Amino acid sequence: MFYEVPRGAYDTLRVALEQAGLPTSDLEEPGRLFFGLSDDRGIIGYVGLEGDGPDRLLRSLVIFPSRRRLGHGRELVERLEGCVASGVERLHLLTTTAAPFFRANGYVDADRATAPAPIAASREFTALCPASAAYLVKAL
């Protein structure tokens, strides 16, 4: 089941992100939505979406270790891409560890200097992710 994680119910999400070494300091800020994937065995993982307008930031993809390598990451990304609002033209992301995964799912490397202003101004770009993080984009 793919579902939106209710704001204020981020305890398990926060722990999963912290264990994966992903940022958590801005989870409760406006303009962020988080989605979970679960089955009859429990929570599989999470993914986030940030921003508004034609360019959005895909963030915080995490799969619980016991559920990895089973296609769940791909499923979460595909479901997120399928649920974005009409008018969203591109998804952007920064990653220090998962660039090959995202490239295999249609994301292409881009120069951080070309990021649209709302993406470049996000905390992910300005503070949370190192300058060495790969910047990838996918046109929807």
Side-chain angles (χ1 to χ4, degrees):
M1 174 175 67
F2 182 73
Y3 60 95
E4 184 177 337
V5 180
R7 189 170 287 282
Y10 290 169
D11 292 344
T12 305
L13 166 65
R14 185 179 306 280
V15 169
L17 295 174
E18 287 171 351
Q19 289 176 344
L22 295 172
T24 60
S25 63
D26 66 333
L27 293 184
E28 300 285 347
E29 290 183 13
R32 288 148 182 77
L33 297 173
F34 294 93
F35 299 90
L37 183 67
S38 66
D39 62 14
D40 58 348
R41 293 177 41 210
I43 300 169
I44 295 167
Y46 298 101
V47 67
L49 185 67
E50 181 177 330
D52 55 20
D55 293 283
R56 307 279 174 100
L57 193 61
L58 183 156
R59 57 170 292 168
S60 306
L61 174 65
V62 63
I63 304 297
F64 285 94
S66 65
R67 309 303 291 276
R68 292 183 184 152
R69 304 250 179 241
L70 299 170
H72 297 304
R74 179 182 308 260
E75 181 180 357
L76 258 172
V77 170
E78 287 174 353
R79 288 187 181 237
L80 177 72
E81 290 171 353
C83 83
V84 295
S86 168
V88 176
E89 298 173 9
R90 288 165 299 279
L91 289 177
H92 305 257
L93 65 92
L94 291 168
T95 182
T96 58
T97 60
F101 167 82
F102 284 106
R103 289 179 190 121
N105 285 282
Y107 289 77
V108 296
D109 291 277
D111 182 341
R112 285 176 78 140
T114 66
I119 299 298
S122 70
R123 285 197 55 210
E124 287 272 314
F125 265 70
T126 61
L128 299 178
C129 289
S132 60
Y135 170 49
L136 295 105
V137 179
K138 184 175 184 179
L140 300 179

